[in-house]
Every structure is written in structure tokens, then in C-alpha cells.
Amino acid sequence: MMLPLLQAVAATPSPSASAAPSSFGNINITFSFLLSFLTWAPLLVAVAVSVIPEAPRRRATRRLWLIVFWTNLLLLAVTLVIYSSQFNIYGSGLQFEELLPWIPTLGVSYHMGLTGIGMSMLVLSGLIGLAATLAAFDLQDRSRSFYVLLLLAQGFINGVIGAQDLVLLVCFWTASMVPIALLVGGWSGPRRWQAAGRLVGYWMLGSAALLVASLLLWVSTGERSFELSALGNAAPNWRVQLVVALLIIVAAGSRLALVPLHGWAREVLAEAHPAVAVLVIGSGARLGGDLLLEMYTGLNVGGAHLAAKVLMVVAVLTVVYAAVAAFRTREIRRLAAYLTLIPSGVMALGVAALSPMAIAGAAFSLFAGGLAAAILVGAAATLAERAQSRSLLVVMGVATRGPRVVWFVLAGTLAAIGLPFFATFPGLLMVLFGSLQNEPVGTLVMAGGLVLAAAAIAWLLRRALFGRPNADAPTPSDATMPQAWYLGILIAVLLWVGLVPSGPKLAGNVIFDPGMINVITQETTTISAPFVPPASTSSSSTP
């Protein structure tokens, strides 16, 4: 009964013809520049913030924060308007396209466009950007530089999501690392520069792998263009296909923090300012999953088949390692960092399974996992701050003293393992059911890892948060209003999408939310088409 239900959820409405782009001279463009607005508006505001005249310190800090807050609120509002009323879930291909020549001699163009997965990523980016701004409400130390870097990171992340030219994608992908690394190194704990160095090392490795994979695709396909659609013509040499697939796994794994490319996550998420940790794991790291879906399965079908076992092993190891490490750690922020690896592993297994349901579940888990991971690291950082300690032994029994933040930690931990009613639950179900046929052993081992992670969370809740209070520990204070707001908003969205993944309907008609699963499957149906098993035909003999 569950399998037909999941197949119905993952189904996509029949496509209709999409509007053709308008023409201006010899340049094909559309009337929409929404993607450029979402990409470049944060960068322009960052420039404006950097040159605003000085004012008394506290007054200037609050004014800068208000500018960044209203900018993020506007970006999120525009994104939600596109999501709820402008995005065509019945169409196929790119929407909101912008195409302008950039380096014509190399076939490089400024090509932006949006698919269903990109739409979900833009919504995630907008939510995380607003949450990070609220998390930085009380920041006083070098606030101007902090807000400038925060806006730059958001603009580059949106650029990666919308880029449809491989050179443009690599540029935005690499550029997003710079402001994030500076945020980690400038506003973190005592080991901040070590954490920033690890992040740069791993992410630079991923950028190099992505660059080499891009050049191999371009050379092997014989195209004179770096358009993603053009590079989808798979190279005939299976060795090239395999190398490209492995390089994409390295590039994506360095961002998603898949084992063994996870070394940066523990240090960054345990040391960074809460706003930075939320931004990094909520949207910055999810770019790796977007790369797996768009390039690994979308552009290199043969290589995806060849490297499927490798990606499956990496996904399973990530979940099992996260569960075991969560059992061993005694620091709340490190525990949260380990648990954030679980949604990444689940998403990677869905891609490795190469079945339509698993791929749709992976795309859905990409969105839901970003929200769950952001809640988890934000709540853990807030708990450590309000309890004045990171040690689980010190914060024992903190729930009995009444701080709201404990319930935020509870929501984040349970969402990370896919508890029902959270948005991570339907994604997890689709991944597990969709992976059973192609990767049964890996699916069962991952299920065991999830059970082990649930046991680690039970230990955390029973002995640390809800255990006997530590009489020698400082008295914890409650979460501040901005902290409660940003964590509450993320939890509300996670619950809403989990309860109505197909969107609310009145008399069979969409009210205001077309449904995240419907938006996502607008593209996953096309991506997974090459992996649909051929229908068995029985030949009948004629007398």
C-alpha cells in the first residue's frame, strides 16, 4: 500500500509547451531577469553597505542589520512569488531564461535558467538567508564586514543555482567559497582559522575536480559550447564517462560533507558563528547535492551507471559514520555537526540508486535536509551559548529548567533522521523504497545506520537534555527573540512541507502552494527518464 502511495506522490503532471524566448537582435532572451536580480541584488547591496557613512557604533550596527534584513526579506518574497504563482509545474525544460554572449570565441555565455530542482533550491536559499540574518541580530564585532560577506555569499549561491553554462557555474561555485571562508575565519571560536583552512582545502579540491570534469566533458563531447544542455551528449568512451562521474562525486562530496570528504564540517559547524553555520550547512553545502542531480545524473548517464556502486558506498559510510561519531562525542555542537551528515548521506543514496522514485526522493531530501541541518546546528549553537558550555555533561537536565531552545534541538535531531510529519520523512521514504531494487544491501545498511543514529539521539535526550540537572553548571538562559524567530520559521516550513508535500488544494485546485514535490518532479521526471527500466514485453505466437 505504501509503494503505490509514494509513486503517486512522485508522479508529475503531463507537460505542456513552455513559452518561447523573445528575441532582441541576434540575442535570445526572455522578458524575465528575476534570476539575475536574485543573484546580483545581494552583491549590489553588499557594495552599498560597505560604503555607507559611519555613525555611532550601536546605531550604525542596527541600521546595517536592518538593510540586510529587508534585503533578505525582499529576496525571499520575490522567490516565493515565483514559486507559488509564476513557476509552471506542468511545463518542461528551463524557465525564466536569460541568455547573453559572454566569451563568444570559447562558446561561453551568461546563461541563467530555472528548473524544478533549482526552484526548490532558491526557496531554500531565501529561507536560509533570512534565518542567518536573524541569527546575526546581536552581532557587534565588525558587523559591517560580516554583513557584506554574508550578502556576497548569498548572491554567489543563487548564481550557482541559476547558472546553465558550465564556465559560469564553475565561477560562481568557486567564488562562493571566498566569503564563506572569511566568515568562518573572522567570526568563530578559538580554532576559527584552522576551521577556515580545512574548509578552503576541501572546497578547493572540489572546485579543481569540477573544473577538470567540465573540461573533460567539453573535450569529449566535441561541443563548441559550455551550455549544460549541449554537454549532455555523453562521451562515447566509457573510461572518460567514469572519470567524469568520479570527479563530480569528489566535487559534490566536498560540499555535502560526504565521507571521506567531511573533515571540514566538524570544525566549521562546531566553531563558526551560528549565522555562518546556518548559512554553510543550510544552503552552501546543498550546492553539492544540486551538482549531483544536475551533472552526475543529468549530463553523464553512462558514467552514473559505472560509478553508482562508489557513490552508494560513500552514502552508506556517511550515515554509519555520523551515527557512530554521534555516540562518541560529548560536545553538543560537534554532535549536531555529525548528525547533519545524515541527510547528505540519504540524498546521495537516492542519486546512487538511479531509479525514478529514488532520484525524486533525493531532490526532495536536498531541500528538506538543508532545513533540518540548519535547524540542528543553529539550535545546538544557541543551546551552547545560553547554557554557557558545549559539554553534554554540563548541560545535563537543561530541559527541566525550561529553555525553549531544547525543543528546537529536539526538532532538529528528529528531523535529521526523518521523523514522520517532518519534510525529511517523505524524502527518506522515497529514497529507501526507490533504492531497494537497485541497491538492496546499501539500503538495508543505511537503514541500520539510521536506527543507530536514533539510538544516539535517544541517549542525548534521555541522559543529557532531559536527565538529572547538573547542580554545578551555570543556570542557562532562554533563547532570545531573534533566535526563536529564525528557528521557529525553519521548523514551521519543515512541518508544512512534510504535512502537505503536494500542496494544499481546495476543490482540487491549488490555493497558494503548488506543492514542493510537484515543483521538484517537474525536472526529476526528465532526469530519471534514462534510468527507467524497459517495460517487459511478452511475445505471443501466432498459429
Side-chain angles (χ1 to χ4, degrees), residues 49 53-68 136-144 147:
V49 169
E54 294 287 344
R57 182 171 181 179
R58 184 168 183 82
R59 179 182 171 188
T61 300
R62 187 61 64 235
R63 181 172 62 181
L64 294 176
W65 182 86
L66 285 173
I67 293 174
V68 178
F137 178 79
D138 294 325
L139 181 75
Q140 298 294 328
D141 181 30
R142 292 165 293 141
S143 58
R144 180 191 298 270
Y147 295 137

Side-chain angles (χ1 to χ4, degrees), residues 54-139:
E54 294 287 344
R57 182 171 181 179
R58 184 168 183 82
R59 179 182 171 188
T61 300
R62 187 61 64 235
R63 181 172 62 181
L64 294 176
W65 182 86
L66 285 173
I67 293 174
V68 178
F69 171 78
W70 287 111
T71 299
N72 277 281
L73 193 61
L74 175 62
L75 294 175
L76 178 59
V78 171
T79 303
L80 292 179
V81 168
I82 299 173
Y83 166 79
S84 62
S85 62
Q86 302 299 311
F87 190 83
N88 182 12
I89 62 174
Y90 300 100
S92 60
L94 293 175
Q95 301 181 36
F96 308 104
E97 274 192 274
E98 305 168 28
L99 180 58
L100 295 169
W102 185 18
I103 312 176
T105 55
L106 295 178
V108 179
S109 61
Y110 177 82
H111 188 188
M112 304 287 282
L114 206 57
T115 59
I117 296 173
M119 185 71 258
S120 69
M121 287 289 292
L122 274 183
V123 174
L124 177 64
S125 176
L127 289 168
I128 295 299
L130 183 64
T133 305
L134 289 170
F137 178 79
D138 294 325
L139 181 75

Side-chain angles (χ1 to χ4, degrees), residues 62-426:
R62 187 61 64 235
R63 181 172 62 181
L64 294 176
W65 182 86
L66 285 173
I67 293 174
V68 178
F69 171 78
W70 287 111
T71 299
N72 277 281
L73 193 61
L74 175 62
L75 294 175
L76 178 59
V78 171
T79 303
L80 292 179
V81 168
I82 299 173
Y83 166 79
S84 62
S85 62
Q86 302 299 311
F87 190 83
N88 182 12
I89 62 174
Y90 300 100
S92 60
L94 293 175
Q95 301 181 36
F96 308 104
E97 274 192 274
E98 305 168 28
L99 180 58
L100 295 169
W102 185 18
I103 312 176
T105 55
L106 295 178
V108 179
S109 61
Y110 177 82
H111 188 188
M112 304 287 282
L114 206 57
T115 59
I117 296 173
M119 185 71 258
S120 69
M121 287 289 292
L122 274 183
V123 174
L124 177 64
S125 176
L127 289 168
I128 295 299
L130 183 64
T133 305
L134 289 170
F137 178 79
D138 294 325
L139 181 75
Q140 298 294 328
D141 181 30
R142 292 165 293 141
S143 58
R144 180 191 298 270
S145 300
F146 183 92
Y147 295 137
V148 168
L149 293 172
L150 188 69
L151 290 168
L152 290 176
Q154 291 175 247
F156 292 141
I157 288 172
N158 289 344
V160 174
I161 295 170
Q164 298 299 322
D165 182 277
L166 206 46
V167 173
L168 188 65
L169 174 65
V170 173
C171 289
F172 280 129
W173 175 279
T174 307
S176 65
M177 173 187 63
V178 178
I180 290 177
L182 292 175
L183 284 169
V184 173
W187 291 268
S188 299
R191 295 165 56 87
R192 59 184 179 272
W193 287 113
Q194 181 178 349
R198 280 178 171 268
L199 182 139
V200 170
Y202 281 98
W203 285 21
M204 280 295 294
L205 173 64
S207 297
L210 177 59
L211 178 60
V212 175
S214 303
L215 292 176
L216 281 176
L217 273 176
W218 184 69
V219 171
S220 61
T221 55
E223 293 288 341
R224 297 300 300 168
S225 168
F226 282 92
E227 297 290 327
L228 293 181
S229 57
L231 296 176
N233 303 321
N237 190 324
W238 69 269
R239 293 181 179 84
V240 175
Q241 294 179 359
L242 177 60
V243 171
V244 169
L246 293 176
L247 288 171
I248 294 175
I249 291 175
V250 171
S254 66
R255 290 289 176 106
L256 269 177
L258 299 176
V259 173
L261 301 171
H262 65 287
W264 64 267
R266 180 187 60 230
E267 297 296 331
V268 170
L269 300 181
E271 297 293 331
H273 186 280
V276 179
V278 165
L279 178 71
V280 171
I281 200 63
S283 57
R286 302 302 123 183
L287 297 179
D290 185 49
L291 192 71
L292 277 179
L293 290 165
E294 300 285 359
M295 288 189 63
Y296 179 83
T297 60
L299 300 185
N300 194 23
V301 175
H305 278 293
L306 293 171
K309 296 297 181 183
V310 175
L311 184 57
M312 183 271 293
V313 171
V314 167
V316 172
L317 284 178
T318 299
V319 173
V320 174
Y321 168 81
V324 173
F327 253 124
R328 297 179 59 186
T329 187
R330 292 298 178 265
E331 288 189 17
I332 182 64
R333 292 198 65 175
R334 284 182 178 267
L335 184 143
Y338 289 130
L339 291 179
T340 58
L341 303 184
I342 293 177
S344 299
V346 170
M347 185 269 162
L349 177 65
V351 176
L354 297 179
S355 72
M357 183 181 293
I359 291 174
F364 198 81
S365 297
L366 183 62
F367 172 81
L371 291 177
I375 295 167
L376 188 53
V377 298
T382 303
L383 176 60
E385 175 190 334
R386 310 314 288 181
Q388 305 175 53
S389 175
R390 300 183 180 188
S391 173
L392 290 173
L393 299 177
V394 174
V395 301
M396 284 182 62
V398 70
T400 61
R401 308 180 203 184
R404 293 184 300 244
V405 70
V406 171
W407 299 104
F408 295 139
V409 174
L410 176 63
T413 53
L414 297 180
I417 60 172
L419 190 78
F421 305 118
F422 287 104
T424 48
F425 178 66

